[in-house]
């Protein structure tokens, strides 16, 4: 059975991208946590997610029945080699650019949430007018946080300033500050606060293709202890899967961010991230023929 295995350190990222067939689903690791405000460790996430995905304890089937171990059309191209400091933004953007230029639909593995801004800069060029579905405990709308405009507390503000999305729909939010409420109003962010959530709720996402940014701290800490910022009162795993499975428009890209292996209990959060990895790759594969705008 063709079994996608965790990529080794070589060949280089550029070589793996050059070998990609047109229109693949590509998984890429972005091991960067320098913009984490409270605790480092999210940079360790991509190799840890792959480790548990392939540890033999489960299979590679999605809930919709696709066996990713026997399904062509997707590749894990490994981690992007990143330096440090603000240069990393351009490095991430160039890596995603290289993938989308090959027609790839990309699942990025963070890293902290700061990776989403450069990812979306590249994504918005290839897919103008996309809708961003942002699942998070936090709105990440700070103009700046502790002196940094690149902080993992700021990506949604940067995305809206640069008009990288036609709509930003946030769900799971339960940590709004007055400043961030002002920012949400200013940018026209569609915020569904967690206090208003009901499990039967269906999101109205319109027709434009959707990019999903999944911050694992959107889940309740009971389901996802391995995150830097524990925000009680969050989603169950099943609720987030329900949101993912009922996205109406085409899903054209996604990221899974803020998994911090240093805070995990056993394999709980690593397995959760690996579960979303499978389900998102399955959905990206299923949607490849839709809305290729
Ligand atoms: Mn976030
Ligand atoms: Mn968060």
């Amino acid at each position: 059975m063709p079994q996608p295995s965790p990529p080794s350190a070589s060949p280089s990222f550029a070589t793996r991208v050059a070998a990609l067939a047109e229109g693949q689903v590509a998984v890429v690791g972005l091991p960067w946590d320098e913009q984490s405000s409270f605790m480092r460790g999210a940079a360790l996430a991509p190799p840890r997610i792959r480790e548990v995905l392939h540890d033999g304890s489960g299979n590679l089937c999605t809930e919709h029945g696709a066996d990713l171990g026997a399904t062509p059309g997707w590749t894990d191209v490994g981690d992007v080699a990143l330096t440090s400091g603000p240069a990393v933004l351009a490095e991430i953007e160039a890596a995603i650019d290289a993938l989308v230029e090959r027609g790839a639909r990309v699942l990025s593995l963070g890293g902290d949430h700061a990776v989403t801004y450069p990812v979306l800069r590249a994504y918005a060029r290839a897919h103008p007018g996309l809708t961003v579905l942002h699942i998070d405990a936090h709105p990440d709308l700070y103009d700046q946080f502790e002196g940094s405009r690149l902080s993992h507390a700021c990506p949604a503000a940067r995305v809206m300033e640069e008009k990288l999305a036609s709509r930003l729909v946030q769900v799971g939010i339960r940590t709004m500050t007055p400043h961030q409420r002002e920012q949400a109003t200013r940018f026209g962010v569609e915020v569904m606060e967690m206090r208003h959530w009901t499990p039967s709720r269906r999101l109205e996402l319109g027709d434009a293709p959707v990019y999903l940014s999944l911050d694992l701290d959107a889940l309740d800490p009971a389901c996802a202890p391995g995150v830097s910022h524990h925000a009680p009162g969050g989603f169950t795993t099943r609720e987030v899967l329900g949101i993912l499975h009922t996205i109406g428009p085409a899903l054209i890209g996604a990221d899974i961010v803020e998994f911090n292996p240093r805070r995990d209990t056993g394999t709980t959060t690593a397995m959760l991230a690996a579960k979303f990895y499978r389900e998102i790759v399955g959905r990206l594969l299923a949607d490849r023929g839709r809305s290729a705008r």
Side-chain angles (χ1 to χ4, degrees), residues 104-106 123 127 130 209-211 250-254 284 287 290-292:
R105 304 267 170 115
V106 182
Y123 238 86
H127 302 279
L130 53 77
V210 170
Y211 178 94
L251 183 69
I252 55 163
L284 289 170
D287 283 2
R290 300 176 61 198
S291 300

Side-chain angles (χ1 to χ4, degrees), residues 190-267:
E190 299 166 56
V191 184
M192 183 184 298
E193 294 186 47
M194 196 69 206
R195 64 197 169 108
H196 298 137
W197 173 261
T198 55
S200 61
R201 191 93 180 229
R202 287 285 174 274
L203 300 178
E204 295 300 328
L205 293 174
D207 299 319
V210 170
Y211 178 94
L212 169 65
S213 186
L214 174 56
D215 181 330
L216 292 187
D217 67 33
L219 288 100
D220 193 87
C223 296
V227 297
S228 299
H229 300 264
H230 286 170
F235 287 122
T236 63
T237 302
R238 181 48 53 189
E239 285 174 311
V240 176
L241 288 167
I243 293 170
L244 170 64
H245 289 158
T246 57
I247 292 171
L251 183 69
I252 55 163
D255 58 62
I256 301 170
V257 297
E258 296 287 343
F259 166 40
N260 184 343
R262 285 189 184 143
R263 279 209 124 178
D264 207 1
T265 52
T267 58

Side-chain angles (χ1 to χ4, degrees), residues 4-7 13 16-17 20 23-31 45-47 49-50 53-54 60 68 73-80 95-96 99-100 104-110 123 252-256 273-274 276-285:
S5 55
F13 176 78
R16 291 191 298 270
V17 172
L20 266 187
Q24 292 261 305
V25 170
V27 183
V28 62
L30 303 173
I49 296 169
R50 295 189 192 100
L53 186 70
H54 298 286
L60 287 178
L68 298 183
W74 75 281
T75 309
D76 189 331
V77 295
D79 291 353
V80 180
I96 304 301
L99 289 166
V100 296
R105 304 267 170 115
V106 182
L107 167 61
S108 302
L109 309 175
Y123 238 86
I252 55 163
D255 58 62
I256 301 170
F276 288 129
Y277 177 125
R278 286 197 302 278
E279 295 300 314
I280 291 171
V281 167
R283 178 68 198 255
L284 289 170
L285 281 168

Side-chain angles (χ1 to χ4, degrees), residues 113 134 136 138 140 152 215 258:
H113 219 154
H134 174 189
D136 200 330
H138 312 91
D140 294 346
H152 72 153
D215 181 330
E258 296 287 343

